[in-house]
Amino acid sequence: MKDFIIPTSMDDITNDRDMGTPASKSLEMVTLTIDGFEVTVPAGTSVMRASNEAGIEVPKLCATDSLEAFGSCRLCVVEIEGRRGTPASCTTPVAEGMVVNTHTDKIKKIRKGVMELYISDHPLDCLTCAANGDCELQDMAGAVGLRDVRYEGTENHFEVRQNGEVNPKYIPKDDSNPYFAYDPAKCIVCSRCVRACEETQGTFALTIEGSGFNSRVSFGAKSDDALHSDCVSCGACVAACPTATLTEKSVIELGTPERSVITTCAYCGVGCSFKAELNGDEVVRMTPWKHGKANRGHSCVKGRFAYGYASHSDRILSPMIRDSIDQPWREVSYEEAIDFTSKKLRDIQAKHGQKSIGGITSSRCTNEETYLVQKMIRAVFGNNNTDTCARVCHSPTGYGLKTTFGTSAGTQDFDSVEDTDVVIVIGANPTDGHPVFASRLRKRLRQGAELIVIDPRRIDLLETPHMGKGHHLPLRPGTNVAILSAISHVIVTEGLHDEAFIRERCDWDEFSEYAAFISDERHSPEAMQLLTGVDAQALREAARAFARGGNGAIYYGLGVTEHSQGSTTVMAIANLAMMTGNIGRRGVGVNPLRGQNNVQGACDMGSFPHELPGYRHVSDDATRDIFEDLWGVTLDAEPGLRIPNMLDAAVDGTFKGIYIQGEDILQSDPDTHHVAAGLAAMDCVIVQDLFLNETANYAHVFLPGSTFLEKDGTFTNAERRINRVREVMKPKNGYADWQVTMLLANAMGANWTYTHPSQIMDEIAATTPGFANVTYEMLEERGSVQWPCNDNAPDGTPIMHIDGFVRGKGQFIITEYIATDERTGPRFPLLLTTGRILSQYNVGAQTRRTDNVVWHDEDLLEIHPQDAENRGIKDGDFVKLASRQGETSLRATITDRVSPGVVYTTFHHPDTQANVITTDFSDWATNCPEYKVTAVQVSQSNGPTDWQKDYNEQAAQSRRILPAAE
Amino acid sequence: MKIYVPLDSAAKALGADNVADALATAAKEAGKDVEIIRTGTRGMLWLEPLVEVETDAGRTGFGPCLPSDAAAIIEGAANHPKALGLVDDLPWMKRQTRLTFQRVGVIDPLDLADYEAHGGLTGLRNAIAMSPADVVQHVTDSGLRGRGGAGFPTGIKWKTVHDAEAPQKYIVCNADEGDSGTFADRMIMEGDPFTLIEGMIIAGLAVGATKGYIYLRSEYPDAINIINQAIAVAEKAGVLGDDVLGSGRAFHLENRVGAGAYVCGEETSLLNSLEGKRGVVRAKPPLPALEGFLGRPTVVNNVISLATVPVIMEKGAQYYADFGLGRSKGTIPLQIAGNVKFGGLFETAFGLPLGEIVNDLAGGTRSGAPVKAVQVGGPLGAYFAPHQFDTPFGYEEFDGAGGLIGHAGLTIFDDSADMLGMARFAMEFCAVESCGKCTPCRIGAVRGVETIDRIAAGDADAIPLLTDLCDTMKDGSLCALGGFTPYPVMSALTLFPDDFAAQKKAAE
């Protein structure tokens, strides 16, 4: 007999067993005896989980360790000495000295009796069932030794017809959702799906309809099917279902998977861990990995289901070249393409100078790939003309947080939200942009945390079911700094600031100066109300709630950064966190919600023209020495060109060639006309991508990209977590992106010899202090690690600035509100702001090539009923959207989510071309474009604008591909 | 002249309102100054409508009355064929120990002054003068156990809530009296609502709860109406509110109406329903005493348990505990129904043998045929056969005999009863009322009906299957609905095997 069992840790990433109930976080330990074995577990652990810890699996159907115990299936009953009856082990917590028997004759009889009942209402079509071999009901029937079902089962839910009559209890399969099917005939009413929708996702789309034997899982009202219900298709219910009732259509079609690889989602900055499950090299499904520390076993519709683009027929798998963009593409070998490209780039440099070419790294690619691209530009191109798409999203975060705290990154891990008491969400729409984080936040809101949303739109988070108090400050776009100043004004003038924290962690004199500035009456909510449109009293209440509410956390997105005062807003947020003492522990902090999967990593890896990896300025001799020694070259000490500067220089004729890896600047960057003009002026535009994207219309070389499923590497998410990306299948295009970059670099004279991305990571670790201890071996062992990870923080750093700010003292910055130059006027009286929708991702290159289009197949313009009526616009009308820059057209949807005077749209569809409208105003510090404020006019329209027509024509011409020579 | 006419819905169903109208008309015609006071019922349902006339000797009764009897009653005809003499001297009344129901049928249910005149609010005043812990101790010492059926010691439950620390605690009164053949909760709510309110206030003061809810079934419109009015009266009089009887302590009370689900009489389903959720059973633990309404410590007690607290606080714990038998202390309001000569409510100390209740108090069957079975404790209670009639009425005693007392409803059947049909009804009842959460109840009850139908059709193999099914439901169900349905089924099968014999149906 074993007399002591050491519990398996909840973070043991090799243990994928379902422990039945969630782990207890108690520090108090309790020892009990189960079937004669002594086991010690945290207080609050269920008897079921304790049994599992002891290696004794208690049969179960309604329990799963991602959900709170429910106690409905009655299979997990046990006997406990000194207690009456047969309690369910899932709902019974352990007690000191408890003696549990899980397998007595009485228990065995009950279990068999319960299973006999289950099977009496279940079709016996196991051999042809999609869950065959992956069905808990099947497993349990085996586990309890059920050999006979003696009931006649006259009333049942699975027979379509009985004695020639329609069986009124039979409900047909619901195939409406493109990704999963709901087959009520197989349902055992364990409520795992309903609970997953509530507890894990927080949408409450599912319920149990009816009672008793008529209890059926339902997507809301009787008329609702899965697709037309509140369901957001996150897949939590499908993952939770123990039978074939909710099954991925891919499994129904392809069969149960036979192998799996753990990897990281390549959509947003949450960085969810997934188990890619395959048959051969065909992905059967992606299931969220329970040990993923960012997602804790949850997922959204994109990561879970929208991976079909990887095998979409639009994908370009062979390199293509052409001499000019009016020619059709010619498919060539990699050899020819690389030779063509390297010669062209070297020719340009010979003619126009060393600095006449450059490149853009991708926030969609791995750290290793990004590192290589900037290395190629700096060491092989011989200049610092490298930039990245973070330029257009979170560059102000980097600047603002480095200035105030000393580190260009968020301060927390996602787990931190579990301890948050009051949260400010500003300029972010997490339920759509960062859905898995939103679910974790909503869970905390349901537990009573207070929510303050600062956003021009009434975002869905404000409508979280069962949440506590919520505040909405619907500001006029462009007045973020004014709002934050007013909040700080209330806190400082009402004495709600945390003096002890400020004295210890910041410079008191500096704060005093700031306090004098912010206390000025012009920053009062009453004075600011004219500018922001936000009710002064509502703002005061929100400010008090944040200052007094306990652990206060601030989460923000591009609605903060993509403004002419983006950097100022980030610093105002940092001020607010510091003055309320909300830095340096769990539950607090400043948390930028990064847009792309690896935007943090792309910044870390030295993608910016002025910074080498690790945010060290190119003018710093010591840093340059490190890289010069290793790379054997001399590096330029002058910063290179930013993206807008490259385009300007191209128009001026001094910048002629660009290598763009995994970014569609024509669609994603502001002022499309200007981007197009810049690209058209270049002699060699190289696009490396999965598809012929919009930028490729102006390209001379197309290098096929590889998907995240086809390569090894790492992504760094919004919480600085370095997650492994693993090669799930071989690249369909022949090479991983890093290999293609290496081919080009070597063709241009480099002598790189990497054979695996781990060697690139070793080089990153050797040169970059924050990554010093990061190795692939470590990531294998731990799953992930948050930088900084070095000798000072060997386990990584979930929460930053615990004992002091990285820069020493936290710095208060005076944040004067300066209105943007983009103003409304008689011709353009409305303010346009932009955002995302759940089912689509950014420019939509991937999600548009999946069934996600059933939820959103075109961009819509949200307009307030009042503004619509003034213009004679009805819901669904085609409207013209015009700004000082240009005009486009799209359909209108009338909603009071937006205030009068504000219109809103998404930018997922190239047909819409929202960036034809946006201006070239940008952040004063980082050039981050002001996407979020454009003065516009909306008017009735008959259809696409001339620009849209011309554009589509040019695109069609440009996308022609010559048939391969045979 | 004061005349008392019940307003109880059982009496009204038998025409009490018409009788009251007729009395008023007759008084007017006779030119007499008559005050008609509506009261609760005395519980003698075979005498309803029972009209009582105040005399110097006491209240004399006439019943069962028709409107046509009104004139004679007004005239004061003591020798009227329906004259019963002094009501208090009727054997049914004299044999009772009316503690909980002391005022029911006696006072105007909404007359707070009359309530006080009959001992009301004394218990509350005593409780206010004591420490909360002492009140809890007092209730514990009285031996009062949950009258809803589970029989859990009320004082222990209160102590758990008293000892729990929370920003808010609640008292919830379970007035979802769904068992067929039971009506004690209704009668006290209609006849003496203040005693329930007083009991809830005492509970609140004892455990530190400032808010109470009555969860009252929608099928009791009269009780809903009277409770609502009584709450308003109590609020106006300062019995309820921020300052209970000037004590400086608050207790607020709200009446919530159910939506017709039997299972919402189960305390955790009731709490879900009260919170606005689906009325499904919650797993215990957590106990409602620690995580109840809105997740806060909550006393959930039956109407009778709470309505008995005032008399305990009025007359003392020992006074109450001195009644009864063994661990079943105090009194129990028996509700006698079914095929019975004298049906109604009879409050007595625990310990009366079942046979005495059935044959003596109730006078045997109404049909005159021999008693075949008595179902005790509502539709989920076991059947008792005459050979078990020496079982004394007590929690442990009935448990020992394979049954339960439940809410103390007794339904009597004569020898024409088909016990297979009764067993089938029990399964069908469970199937209809199941919340659907746990498998043994959700699927088991439907299979139970099917299996009994097989037995009825002559399939003897189905009998062991029914026995196994009952074991699964009894040991495997989440709450008492599925867990107790086997009581009537198995007791019918065991006590009356002939009714289940295959040849019976086969021969027909």
Side-chain angles (χ1 to χ4, degrees):
Chain A
M1 187 207 271
K2 287 184 278 183
D3 45 28
F4 187 77
I5 292 168
I6 298 163
T8 48
S9 154
M10 62 183 278
D11 280 336
D12 175 6
I13 63 169
T14 59
N15 173 20
D16 260 1
R17 279 194 301 139
D18 184 347
M19 305 299 278
T21 62
S24 165
K25 288 182 181 161
S26 175
L27 298 175
E28 187 195 330
M29 299 303 279
V30 167
T31 299
L32 69 160
T33 307
I34 301 173
D35 293 345
F37 296 99
E38 211 167 77
V39 61
T40 301
V41 293
T45 302
S46 70
V47 169
M48 173 182 280
R49 192 177 175 101
S51 297
N52 267 315
E53 299 281 10
I56 299 164
E57 279 189 48
V58 179
K60 62 176 186 57
L61 278 170
C62 73
T64 184
D65 58 12
S66 62
L67 301 171
E68 294 301 321
F70 192 57
S72 78
C73 76
R74 315 311 288 172
L75 270 187
C76 74
V77 291
V78 293
E79 287 193 274
I80 298 172
E81 285 179 19
R83 296 203 190 181
R84 287 177 61 172
T86 47
S89 61
C90 62
T91 55
T92 306
V94 295
E96 187 64 39
M98 186 183 254
V99 179
V100 179
N101 291 301
T102 70
H103 211 66
T104 64
D105 287 345
K106 182 172 187 178
I107 292 298
K108 284 191 276 186
K109 186 161 184 277
I110 296 172
R111 289 182 187 151
K112 206 182 242 187
V114 169
M115 275 316 296
E116 192 176 1
L117 287 172
Y118 268 124
I119 303 305
S120 76
D121 189 27
H122 196 83
L124 296 177
D125 61 352
C126 292
L127 287 181
T128 53
C129 177
N132 188 15
D134 184 23
C135 171
E136 294 181 35
L137 188 70
Q138 202 175 41
D139 296 345
M140 290 304 113
V144 306
L146 183 71
R147 299 291 172 253
D148 188 18
V149 177
R150 295 169 291 167
Y151 299 108
E152 286 177 350
T154 323
E155 270 199 72
N156 64 56
H157 296 98
F158 60 86
E159 285 176 323
V160 185
R161 302 181 77 81
Q162 291 181 318
N163 306 321
E165 300 285 315
V166 171
N167 175 6
K169 296 207 178 317
Y170 175 80
I171 304 171
K173 200 167 172 178
D174 176 352
D175 269 325
S176 60
N177 184 294
Y179 297 121
F180 64 84
Y182 165 49
D183 186 356
K186 304 214 160 153
C187 179
I188 60 167
V189 204
C190 62
S191 295
R192 271 160 70 161
C193 54
V194 177
R195 289 144 62 209
C197 194
E198 294 176 3
E199 295 176 31
T200 308
Q201 166 59 24
T203 293
F204 292 73
L206 285 165
T207 187
I208 300 286
E209 186 184 80
S211 64
F213 195 64
N214 297 321
S215 301
R216 311 306 293 157
V217 171
S218 162
F219 284 89
K222 256 213 159 67
S223 55
D224 288 332
D225 59 19
L227 186 62
H228 299 96
S229 69
D230 289 345
C231 170
V232 293
S233 201
C234 69
C237 57
V238 181
C241 181
T243 68
T245 309
L246 287 157
T247 310
E248 295 90 350
K249 286 185 172 174
S250 55
V251 172
I252 295 173
E253 189 191 329
L254 303 170
T256 41
E258 42 92 15
R259 70 182 182 94
S260 65
V261 182
I262 304 299
T263 190
T264 303
C265 177
Y267 279 113
C268 77
V270 176
C272 296
S273 298
F274 276 88
K275 188 191 256 189
E277 298 184 73
L278 303 98
N279 276 329
D281 68 348
E282 188 170 32
V283 176
V284 174
R285 67 177 167 196
M286 299 284 285
T287 45
W289 188 43
K290 68 192 287 190
H291 298 298
K293 293 192 180 87
N295 54 319
R296 300 283 178 196
H298 191 34
S299 60
C300 80
V301 62
K302 295 186 284 278
R304 179 79 155 89
F305 294 117
Y307 53 83
Y309 67 87
S311 48
H312 194 277
S313 59
D314 282 356
R315 214 177 132 187
I316 305 293
L317 300 175
S318 304
M320 302 190 296
I321 56 174
R322 59 185 170 192
D323 290 317
S324 69
I325 62 169
D326 53 5
Q327 293 176 344
W329 286 106
R330 195 156 54 85
E331 281 187 11
V332 295
S333 66
Y334 273 100
E335 244 177 341
E336 188 179 345
I338 295 293
D339 186 53
F340 176 88
T341 312
S342 59
K343 286 204 172 100
K344 231 174 166 176
L345 290 174
R346 284 304 188 209
D347 283 354
I348 289 168
Q349 284 188 304
K351 217 193 283 177
H352 300 279
Q354 190 161 339
K355 296 190 180 181
S356 61
I357 63 172
I360 299 176
T361 73
S362 175
S363 296
R364 314 307 317 280
C365 291
T366 63
N367 284 318
E368 292 76 3
E369 286 164 343
T370 305
Y371 177 88
L372 277 201
V373 172
Q374 63 89 31
K375 177 176 175 179
M376 175 171 77
I377 291 163
R378 296 185 203 280
V380 183
F381 291 5
N383 61 48
N384 287 322
N385 292 336
T386 172
D387 207 352
T388 187
C389 51
R391 170 71 54 215
V392 302
C393 65
H394 268 290
S395 50
T397 293
Y399 177 85
L401 296 185
K402 183 154 192 183
T403 306
T404 50
F405 298 161
T407 307
S408 298
T411 63
Q412 309 297 112
D413 59 2
F414 285 135
D415 285 350
S416 164
V417 77
E418 293 168 8
D419 290 322
T420 295
D421 301 312
V422 54
V423 57
I424 292 180
V425 175
I426 171 168
N429 186 11
T431 54
D432 289 49
H434 302 84
V436 169
F437 166 71
S439 289
R440 302 187 66 180
L441 172 57
R442 281 183 149 174
K443 187 170 204 163
R444 188 64 190 153
L445 295 177
R446 289 197 301 278
Q447 291 164 353
E450 204 161 334
L451 172 68
I452 301 163
V453 168
I454 305 174
D455 200 287
R457 274 176 90 236
R458 192 179 69 243
I459 60 173
D460 280 347
L461 202 57
L462 284 159
E463 283 156 26
T464 295
H466 304 294
M467 69 176 235
K469 193 158 189 213
H471 308 257
H472 183 204
L473 308 180
L475 77 175
R476 272 169 64 81
T479 60
N480 285 332
V481 172
I483 281 278
L484 289 166
S485 293
I487 290 174
S488 297
H489 173 90
V490 173
I491 290 170
V492 171
T493 55
E494 296 189 8
L496 303 175
H497 54 282
D498 184 343
E499 185 173 337
F501 180 93
I502 299 165
R503 282 191 183 278
E504 187 194 333
R505 305 286 301 273
C506 307
D507 182 317
W508 182 255
D509 290 342
E510 203 173 73
F511 173 73
S512 303
E513 199 181 317
Y514 172 82
F517 157 79
I518 206 73
S519 300
D520 190 291
E521 190 50 32
R522 71 194 152 96
H523 293 125
S524 74
E526 290 73 18
M528 286 295 191
Q529 184 166 346
L530 289 171
L531 293 169
T532 62
V534 171
D535 178 72
Q537 194 52 36
L539 186 139
R540 282 189 182 275
E541 278 168 27
R544 289 169 193 147
F546 186 72
R548 290 178 180 153
N551 283 341
I554 306 170
Y555 291 84
Y556 71 89
L558 303 183
V560 159
T561 54
E562 289 175 349
H563 284 283
S564 61
Q565 277 201 294
S567 293
T568 315
T569 312
V570 172
M571 293 187 290
I573 287 170
N575 289 344
L576 185 56
M578 288 189 291
M579 79 176 69
T580 50
N582 280 314
I583 286 289
R585 61 180 188 278
R586 265 176 76 102
V588 301
V590 173
N591 305 274
L593 293 170
R594 299 289 188 151
Q596 313 228 39
N597 55 315
N598 199 36
V599 66
Q600 180 71 53
C603 297
D604 300 342
M605 292 300 108
S607 295
F608 287 126
H610 65 295
E611 278 173 345
L612 285 157
Y615 302 97
R616 290 164 295 173
H617 203 274
V618 289
S619 63
D620 180 54
D621 294 342
T623 307
R624 269 199 337 280
D625 282 349
I626 296 170
F627 290 97
E628 285 179 347
D629 282 354
L630 192 69
W631 295 348
V633 293
T634 306
L635 295 174
D636 191 349
E638 287 295 316
L641 298 175
R642 298 170 173 185
I643 295 172
N645 306 128
M646 292 184 206
L647 294 167
D648 291 345
V651 172
D652 292 347
T654 59
F655 188 85
K656 289 289 188 181
I658 190 165
Y659 172 59
I660 305 171
Q661 185 177 65
E663 191 183 352
D664 192 357
I665 60 168
L666 186 65
Q667 198 183 343
S668 65
D669 284 31
D671 196 353
T672 310
H673 295 296
H674 182 64
V675 178
L679 289 170
M682 293 189 212
D683 293 341
C684 183
V685 173
I686 306 146
V687 167
Q688 185 175 8
D689 207 294
L690 301 175
F691 305 104
L692 276 176
N693 62 19
E694 307 307 308
T695 308
N697 297 344
Y698 292 87
H700 307 85
V701 178
F702 185 89
L703 299 170
S706 56
T707 71
F708 77 111
L709 294 167
E710 297 165 337
K711 57 196 178 190
D712 282 301
T714 56
F715 291 153
T716 306
N717 75 355
E719 40 166 13
R720 295 169 279 105
R721 185 180 301 285
I722 305 161
N723 270 314
R724 270 286 266 125
V725 179
R726 290 187 177 83
E727 187 186 69
V728 170
M729 58 171 80
K730 291 293 167 193
K732 287 188 194 298
N733 57 315
Y735 289 110
D737 294 337
W738 62 273
Q739 291 173 303
V740 176
T741 305
M742 191 163 82
L743 287 175
L744 179 61
N746 284 346
M748 292 177 76
N751 190 24
W752 296 352
T753 55
Y754 306 108
T755 57
H756 191 271
S758 63
Q759 296 155 352
I760 306 171
M761 180 54 82
D762 292 342
E763 184 173 319
I764 296 165
T767 53
T768 310
F771 284 69
N773 287 12
V774 179
T775 63
Y776 273 37
E777 289 73 36
M778 170 195 256
L779 295 172
E780 263 334 299
E781 196 181 300
R782 301 186 181 189
S784 64
V785 67
Q786 286 172 273
W787 67 255
C789 174
N790 47 34
D791 287 344
N792 293 331
D795 295 326
T797 312
I799 291 169
M800 297 201 70
H801 316 299
I802 289 180
D803 299 318
F805 285 101
V806 168
R807 72 181 297 280
K809 294 275 186 189
Q811 189 175 13
F812 281 95
I813 304 282
I814 302 286
T815 52
E816 188 72 66
Y817 170 65
I818 299 162
T820 171
D821 289 336
E822 178 71 2
R823 308 267 165 94
T824 53
R827 282 174 59 221
F828 302 102
L830 303 172
L831 285 177
L832 169 74
T833 188
T834 57
R836 290 198 224 169
I837 204 157
L838 170 67
S839 55
Q840 297 287 350
Y841 185 75
N842 274 12
V843 297
Q846 292 143 302
T847 45
R848 278 186 285 111
R849 291 181 172 94
T850 69
D851 285 329
N852 278 27
V853 292
V854 304
W855 287 281
H856 184 82
D857 58 359
E858 62 179 328
D859 293 320
L860 297 170
L861 184 77
E862 289 187 0
I863 183 166
H864 190 272
Q866 191 180 312
D867 291 325
E869 188 163 325
N870 288 343
R871 291 164 177 76
I873 291 165
K874 294 189 296 297
D875 204 60
D877 277 359
F878 233 100
V879 294
K880 189 174 84 176
L881 177 67
S883 74
R884 293 182 180 94
Q885 299 299 308
E887 58 187 50
T888 186
S889 65
L890 69 173
R891 288 187 196 280
T893 181
I894 297 174
T895 172
D896 64 358
R897 263 182 198 280
V898 290
S899 304
V902 177
V903 291
Y904 168 90
T905 190
T906 50
F907 51 91
H908 301 307
H909 291 269
D911 286 351
T912 315
Q913 290 284 357
N915 285 329
V916 172
I917 306 297
T918 51
T919 68
D920 53 10
F921 292 117
S922 66
D923 178 47
W924 60 270
T926 68
N927 269 154
C928 183
E930 188 166 52
Y931 286 123
K932 298 294 180 180
V933 192
T934 310
V936 294
Q937 178 59 293
V938 176
S939 54
Q940 290 177 314
S941 156
N942 290 326
T945 61
D946 290 344
W947 158 262
Q948 283 168 303
K949 285 182 208 156
D950 293 349
Y951 181 88
N952 286 336
E953 208 166 293
Q954 192 273 341
Q957 281 293 315
S958 180
R959 287 197 176 119
R960 287 171 301 151
I961 300 174
L962 284 181
E966 282 175 37
Chain B
M1 188 178 186
K2 279 185 181 171
I3 297 184
Y4 298 85
V5 184
L7 50 56
D8 182 275
S9 42
K12 282 167 74 172
L14 290 161
D17 284 348
N18 293 341
V19 172
D21 289 348
L23 285 166
T25 311
K28 207 172 177 185
E29 282 171 2
K32 285 198 174 169
D33 183 20
V34 172
E35 187 187 355
I36 296 173
I37 297 159
R38 303 300 296 267
T39 65
T41 175
R42 296 278 193 167
M44 295 173 283
L45 295 179
W46 70 97
L47 292 178
E48 293 291 0
L50 171 63
V51 173
E52 298 179 30
V53 179
E54 194 177 60
T55 68
D56 293 341
R59 280 153 67 165
T60 60
F62 299 85
C65 285
L66 293 170
S68 54
D69 299 323
I73 292 169
I74 296 290
E75 280 165 25
N79 56 353
H80 188 276
K82 288 183 183 170
L84 302 164
L86 288 176
V87 174
D88 286 339
D89 286 347
L90 293 172
W92 181 275
M93 296 306 296
K94 279 183 83 167
R95 290 176 68 179
Q96 291 191 61
T97 303
R98 283 216 165 198
L99 302 181
T100 308
F101 282 76
Q102 56 179 318
R103 287 173 292 264
V104 177
V106 178
I107 64 165
D108 173 351
L110 293 171
D111 185 341
L112 190 59
D114 211 17
Y115 176 73
E116 269 196 273
H118 284 80
L121 299 182
T122 313
L124 176 56
R125 292 205 168 87
N126 291 343
I128 287 170
M130 293 162 71
S131 75
D134 284 348
V135 177
V136 171
Q137 189 58 46
H138 212 67
V139 172
T140 308
D141 291 345
S142 75
L144 178 66
R145 291 166 71 174
R147 296 288 187 249
F152 188 81
T154 305
I156 305 287
K157 191 184 273 185
W158 286 21
K159 186 170 182 346
T160 308
V161 178
H162 172 272
D163 292 350
E165 280 185 30
Q168 177 70 55
K169 301 178 190 178
Y170 297 98
I171 308 294
V172 171
C173 170
N174 183 348
D176 195 58
E177 187 178 40
D179 284 351
S180 44
T182 61
F183 40 79
D185 295 353
R186 179 184 59 69
M187 281 189 175
I188 206 154
M189 288 188 290
E190 291 179 359
D192 190 15
F194 292 125
T195 195
L196 172 59
I197 293 170
E198 184 181 348
M200 291 185 74
I201 300 169
I202 295 170
L205 299 180
V207 304
T210 54
K211 177 91 199 183
Y213 293 92
I214 298 171
Y215 185 89
L216 218 172
R217 66 195 301 243
S218 59
E219 295 87 341
Y220 282 175
D222 291 344
I224 293 165
N225 181 25
I226 291 171
I227 286 284
N228 285 340
Q229 289 186 60
I231 290 172
V233 170
E235 280 172 349
K236 208 171 164 196
V239 176
L240 285 170
D242 288 329
D243 184 15
V244 171
L245 291 180
S247 64
R249 293 152 78 183
F251 191 77
H252 297 270
L253 184 58
E254 215 174 289
N255 188 24
R256 294 280 180 93
V257 177
Y262 175 76
V263 78
C264 289
E266 194 282 335
E267 62 175 350
T268 60
S269 292
L270 185 155
L271 291 172
N272 273 336
S273 175
L274 200 59
E275 289 177 12
K277 299 178 181 155
R278 270 171 63 83
V280 292
V281 177
R282 299 179 185 169
K284 289 188 281 193
L287 296 171
L290 296 172
E291 288 178 41
F293 183 60
L294 300 177
R296 302 296 191 197
T298 303
V299 169
V300 185
N301 275 152
N302 171 257
V303 172
I304 301 298
S305 314
L306 289 163
T308 302
V309 168
V311 71
I312 292 170
M313 297 309 297
E314 178 194 347
K315 298 195 171 158
Q318 195 55 47
Y319 174 83
Y320 189 77
D322 283 345
F323 294 97
L325 167 77
R327 287 177 53 210
S328 306
K329 295 191 190 305
T331 58
I332 180 85
L334 303 170
Q335 298 128 78
I336 302 167
N339 188 341
V340 69
K341 199 175 272 174
F342 304 124
L345 184 130
F346 189 93
E347 183 178 352
T348 181
F350 283 98
L352 222 53
L354 180 58
E356 192 180 331
I357 298 169
V358 174
N359 292 322
D360 185 5
L361 287 177
T365 64
R366 187 184 177 89
S367 63
V371 172
K372 180 170 184 177
V374 184
Q375 187 176 29
V376 185
L380 307 179
Y383 289 98
F384 281 76
H387 73 264
Q388 296 165 299
F389 276 10
D390 58 350
T391 312
F393 207 87
Y395 292 102
E396 280 67 33
E397 291 72 16
F398 265 56
D399 187 42
L404 48 104
I405 66 168
H407 193 43
L410 298 98
T411 308
I412 290 149
F413 298 84
D414 73 7
D415 62 359
S416 67
D418 169 15
M419 297 311 289
L420 180 139
M422 296 315 297
R424 187 188 193 279
F425 170 76
M427 282 294 188
E428 197 184 356
F429 181 83
C430 182
V432 169
E433 298 296 350
S434 168
C435 78
K437 179 167 174 177
C438 78
T439 316
C441 177
R442 184 181 70 248
I443 305 179
V446 171
R447 295 291 171 256
V449 173
E450 290 170 4
T451 305
I452 292 171
D453 285 347
R454 277 166 68 182
I455 297 171
D459 181 353
D461 290 347
I463 291 179
L465 179 56
L466 181 64
T467 308
D468 283 353
L469 171 62
C470 283
D471 283 345
T472 303
M473 289 177 72
K474 185 164 166 257
D475 296 328
S477 292
L478 181 57
C479 82
L481 178 51
F484 285 6
T485 295
Y487 276 99
V489 175
M490 287 310 294
S491 58
L493 179 64
T494 316
L495 295 172
F496 308 99
D498 289 351
D499 287 11
F500 292 78
Q503 63 272 21
K504 182 193 163 201
K505 293 283 174 182
E508 280 167 7

